[in-house]
Amino acid sequence: MKNTLSTVLILVTLLMTGTLAHSAALEPVSPPDELAALRLQLAAQQAINHALQERINALETALEEHASGASEQKSLDATAPAPTDLVATDTNTAVAQSLITKQLLIQAPGTIRLTPTANWSHSGAQSEHYNYSRFAVGVGLGLPAGLTATAVIPYTLADTYYGSNSGFDDLSLALQKQFLAETTRLPTIVGSLNFTNNTSNKAFQDPSIGGAFKYYDLTLSAFKTLSPVVIYGNLFYSRAVKRYFALYYESPFNGTIQPGDTKGISLGVSLAATPAISINTGLTFDFGRGTRYARDGLPEYTGAGVTDGRLSLGAGFLLTKHWFLGITAEAGVTKDASDFIFSIALPYRF
């Protein structure tokens, strides 16, 4: 580049000099005063050309030194991280807060998220109805190494055609781990382990509150940003710990009960209508095997399995820097699912 610029400047100078000489040969001889003025102009132009040439040389030298120094520094710095094409995720948006609420996105290390939630589900007709109102408070803590720990304490109100009941439901603890951060080509991948303890003491009342069993849930989630849309999916597996019971409900039961394993899949889309508003929709299917009953001295038998399918539609609103509001409505698409579920969450980020 340096040689090219020098050659161009020399050619321009020669061309200007030749043009002046040619003009002097064709035109009549100028008076002494005019000839002296032309010589002064030529000297001034040559001085300008020389100054420009020195400036170009200085700039090219500085550019070469900068490029050489950056290359050497990059090659000598063995501790420098390898270049990546990670996509930065701004958690101060409605879409990001929706993903955190759905346990698809982990919290930043050191952050605390307090999430009060409420949902109401309805099934059946007036003559045989099942209404459940659930209130819960969840606390999430962002940890190093891409981890988030969460604890949820629920309270349930049951209103059915055969009676009502209320009380604290089963406590659950969860640990999330991000295995892969999103890049321009790959999605974010997050795994979650959830433990639900049978802390409720009203599991065998009518209607029941709590599940009476310990549950372990495994979830593998992934999402990909295709601005302004985020596409996500979950694979879900749940297994209960069998228990031995000596029950005297409608008839005596002495034996082991093992709830069937549940497998599930969900797909969804979150649209960033604005940075402060997101629209969310999804489809979820849970496939549960029948519960196994092994009464003492009798053959084991298995109950019927269930298929719970739900279609959801919701919206999220970033109210302030710390407050987020999420609203979701779900409709059952299989006979085993609740007819309607309405949920609201109001997380606060510390």
Side-chain angles (χ1 to χ4, degrees):
M1 178 178 177
K2 179 177 179 180
N3 294 333
T4 303
L5 291 173
S6 301
T7 303
V8 171
L9 288 174
I10 292 171
L11 289 175
V12 171
T13 303
L14 291 175
L15 181 60
M16 293 177 62
T17 305
T19 302
L20 291 173
H22 180 69
S23 301
L26 294 178
E27 294 178 358
V29 179
S30 301
D33 294 341
E34 187 175 352
L35 183 59
L38 290 174
R39 287 175 177 173
L40 290 174
Q41 291 179 6
L42 178 59
Q45 185 63 49
Q46 290 176 342
I48 293 172
N49 292 343
H50 181 70
L52 289 174
Q53 180 64 49
E54 289 184 345
R55 179 59 177 165
I56 291 173
N57 292 340
L59 291 174
E60 288 181 343
T61 301
L63 181 61
E64 290 175 358
E65 290 177 352
H66 175 75
S68 176
S71 177
E72 291 177 0
Q73 182 180 5
K74 182 178 180 180
S75 62
L76 293 176
D77 189 2
T79 62
T84 62
D85 55 349
L86 297 179
V87 177
T89 302
D90 182 8
T91 58
N92 196 31
T93 64
V95 167
Q97 290 300 309
S98 294
L99 295 177
I100 294 176
T101 302
K102 298 176 185 295
Q103 294 190 334
L104 291 163
L105 183 64
I106 63 170
Q107 296 177 210
T111 60
I112 299 176
R113 198 169 189 262
L114 182 66
T115 306
T117 61
N119 73 65
W120 176 78
S121 63
H122 168 77
S123 298
Q126 185 63 31
S127 59
E128 193 172 327
H129 68 276
Y130 303 85
N131 296 325
Y132 290 88
S133 299
R134 294 181 174 88
F135 307 91
V137 176
V139 180
L141 174 63
L143 301 173
L147 293 169
T148 296
T150 306
V152 179
I153 303 174
Y155 188 89
T156 298
L157 301 174
D159 176 24
T160 69
Y161 71 97
Y162 58 85
S164 300
N165 201 358
S166 62
F168 284 99
D169 213 318
D170 295 335
L171 172 69
S172 64
L173 303 171
L175 185 65
Q176 294 172 261
K177 168 65 178 177
Q178 179 177 287
F179 297 108
L180 180 65
E182 183 177 5
T183 71
T184 54
R185 295 180 298 275
L186 299 175
T188 294
I189 297 179
V190 176
S192 177
L193 172 62
N194 187 85
F195 170 68
T196 302
N197 197 11
N198 54 327
T199 53
S200 174
N201 58 1
K202 298 185 177 182
F204 296 103
Q205 298 181 4
D206 266 339
S208 64
I209 303 294
F213 296 90
K214 301 178 187 296
Y215 282 88
Y216 291 92
D217 306 327
L218 287 174
T219 305
L220 184 64
S221 308
F223 70 85
K224 187 74 177 73
T225 303
L226 303 172
S227 186
V229 170
V230 175
I231 301 174
Y232 63 85
N234 297 303
L235 293 176
F236 169 82
Y237 176 76
S238 177
R239 183 175 181 82
V241 179
K242 65 181 179 181
R243 289 184 62 187
Y244 185 89
F245 293 96
L247 302 176
Y248 300 91
Y249 185 49
E250 294 180 351
S251 61
F253 179 93
N254 295 295
T256 300
I257 300 178
Q258 170 71 69
D261 298 348
T262 299
K263 301 176 182 178
I265 184 172
S266 65
L267 299 171
V269 175
S270 291
L271 169 66
T274 70
I277 301 176
S278 66
I279 306 298
N280 312 297
T281 184
L283 185 62
T284 302
F285 283 95
D286 293 337
F287 306 93
R289 299 180 60 182
T291 300
R292 298 193 301 271
Y293 301 90
R295 301 182 68 172
D296 293 343
L298 296 175
E300 179 180 309
Y301 66 95
T302 303
V306 296
T307 300
D308 186 342
R310 303 179 305 279
L311 177 67
S312 65
L313 179 64
F317 305 91
L318 193 64
L319 304 179
T320 67
K321 180 181 178 181
H322 300 282
W323 287 102
F324 174 74
L325 173 64
I327 301 174
T328 304
E330 297 180 83
V333 295
T334 61
K335 66 177 183 178
D336 298 321
S338 299
D339 294 340
F340 302 102
I341 301 176
F342 298 97
S343 305
I344 183 170
L346 190 63
Y348 179 82
R349 296 182 296 153
F350 291 93

